[in-house]
Amino acid sequence: MAVHRVAFLVFDGMKMLDVSGPAEVFAEANTLGARYSLRYASPSGEPVRTSIGTRLPVDSAAADLDVDTLVVSGGDPLVTEPIPSELTAAVRHLRARAHRLVSICTGSFVLAAAGLLSGHRATTHWRHAQLLARAYPDVHVEPDSLFVEDRGIFTSAGVTAGIDLALSLVERDHGADLARDVARSLVMFMQRPGGQSQFSAPLKMSVPRTPALRSVTDLIAAQPALEHSTDSLAVLVGVSPRHLTRLFSAELGTTPARFVERVRLEHAKALLDAGHSVAASARAAGFGSPETLRRIFVARLGVSPGHYRARFTATHSDPRRPRTPAGDRSRTDRTPSASLRCPGTN
């Protein structure tokens, strides 16, 4: 079996987990029969300081690497400061040598700045997806995906999604059985349910310019459980349903019905976060029935409200209820997906 050379391109301010997480996946795969060599490089060949304050030594300068898979880590400076030209130059140089190009979290901004994502589908951390789309309009950003593959370029969402992506690469290289053994060993999912939306912050609505539309959105936000049909909302502010629909489209880029659904979904998430039952959350948010809430949750977030509630309401296990480690449940009774696109939104 040939050695597969994985190189991590690092820089000052990089997220430590963006490197250590995927690297552990490849290293664990090696204990089970894979042959990955792991190397670390900076543009200059000098050590870098990570996001947690430690210094990370590197093996070489980027120009001296031979590489099969190049992994570009993310970091907060990539979205707050200009991306260094030496970093984009290093990526372009290594891209010419690498068979596979990978970015973790905001590492996608480096790829985009280097011109390597032009015309490609890509993702990044949900908090920065809109910025990536605005800054690089020729990139087709998929804000809900945990990771995306497009013509040999792989991009992932927040830091732990980089671990998911690394596992999927192991599956591509060595098959589902070895990848499943890695997942079990690291106690992780083979394919994490849902997308990024389940992790994202509450909806931040733009303030409409038109007073009538502002009155409508304020009412929906304050009392999501009311009827809120387009006709009833139009009567409330004295405009025709067609005109109200035009206002929603022009100022908010959506329809009245979709806006109501988004607000209700955010309200239901907040109630579930606070520990309310699925049935109570469905009623209070205006969905009417738990089944309607479940259908909307699965369609929009990729998980059921019950699973969402279990995942986000506590960090401890119920001592009265035996639990199985996530890795031992991870798709052991299902055929692993060959797709790198997750359903649906760290």
Side-chain angles (χ1 to χ4, degrees):
M1 182 190 303
V3 173
H4 188 106
R5 300 164 298 185
V6 179
F8 291 86
L9 182 62
V10 298
F11 51 90
D12 283 334
M14 50 146 284
K15 289 278 188 184
M16 188 65 178
L17 192 56
D18 285 359
V19 170
S20 61
E24 285 289 356
V25 172
F26 294 122
E28 190 66 28
N30 283 345
T31 69
L32 298 166
R35 294 190 66 192
Y36 293 105
S37 70
L38 306 180
R39 293 179 64 81
Y40 308 89
S42 64
S44 66
E46 295 296 320
V48 300
R49 187 166 295 281
T50 72
S51 59
I52 61 174
T54 60
R55 289 182 67 78
L56 179 68
V58 298
D59 297 302
S60 68
D64 299 328
L65 279 179
D66 289 318
V67 58
D68 296 308
T69 293
L70 173 64
V71 182
V72 181
S73 58
D76 293 339
L78 299 178
V79 295
T80 60
E81 303 170 11
I83 296 175
S85 58
E86 60 268 24
L87 188 55
T88 54
V91 170
R92 282 192 291 265
H93 173 79
L94 291 172
R95 174 52 177 158
R97 302 183 179 188
H99 304 305
R100 194 159 59 190
L101 180 60
V102 176
S103 71
I104 310 298
C105 196
T106 53
S108 55
F109 282 82
V110 180
L111 271 55
L116 300 175
L117 289 184
S118 180
H120 284 71
R121 294 181 297 106
T123 194
T124 192
H125 192 286
W126 59 263
R127 184 176 284 116
H128 306 299
Q130 290 187 359
L131 175 60
L132 182 65
R134 290 196 306 269
Y136 303 98
D138 56 344
V139 179
H140 306 298
V141 179
E142 299 186 359
D144 191 43
S145 296
L146 291 177
F147 45 86
V148 171
E149 184 273 332
D150 188 5
R151 289 167 284 169
I153 298 180
F154 300 75
T155 54
S156 72
V159 287
T160 56
I163 302 175
D164 297 328
L165 174 53
L167 183 65
S168 73
L169 297 177
V170 170
E171 182 180 351
R172 282 197 165 211
D173 295 339
H174 297 283
D177 289 342
L178 190 143
R180 187 179 297 112
D181 288 341
V182 172
R184 286 178 175 145
S185 181
L186 297 180
V187 195
M188 61 182 291
F189 286 105
M190 272 285 283
Q191 185 180 49
R192 198 190 325 182
Q196 288 201 78
S197 293
Q198 61 185 304
F199 303 98
S200 62
L203 175 68
K204 293 182 180 178
M205 297 178 291
S206 301
V207 177
R209 299 185 303 275
T210 306
L213 184 58
R214 190 179 309 124
S215 297
V216 167
T217 57
D218 286 348
L219 174 64
I220 296 169
Q223 300 186 64
L226 296 182
E227 178 191 354
H228 296 321
S229 68
T230 302
D231 288 346
S232 66
L233 292 171
V235 169
L236 179 69
V237 292
V239 300
S240 69
R242 179 175 296 181
H243 182 64
L244 182 62
T245 299
R246 283 198 297 266
L247 289 176
F248 267 93
S249 178
E251 296 197 32
L252 299 177
T254 189
T255 66
R258 290 196 187 104
F259 182 85
V260 170
E261 182 182 284
R262 287 174 64 194
V263 171
R264 285 175 172 168
L265 182 59
E266 292 297 334
H267 191 60
K269 285 172 63 179
L271 290 168
L272 292 169
D273 288 343
H276 294 276
S277 69
V278 173
S281 299
R283 289 193 301 270
F287 285 109
S289 71
E291 176 55 32
T292 300
L293 177 60
R294 190 202 67 80
R295 177 173 53 81
I296 298 298
F297 246 74
V298 171
R300 297 290 177 260
L301 306 184
V303 294
S304 71
H307 286 157
Y308 175 89
R309 182 176 181 270
R311 187 172 300 162
F312 291 104
T313 54
T315 59
H316 62 275
S317 299
D318 185 343
R320 298 166 298 177
R321 182 179 172 188
R323 298 183 64 124
T324 304
D328 291 340
R329 294 196 308 266
S330 58
R331 301 182 60 87
T332 55
D333 57 348
R334 296 179 289 166
T335 302
S337 170
S339 171
L340 276 178
R341 290 186 62 196
C342 286
T345 118
N346 38 187

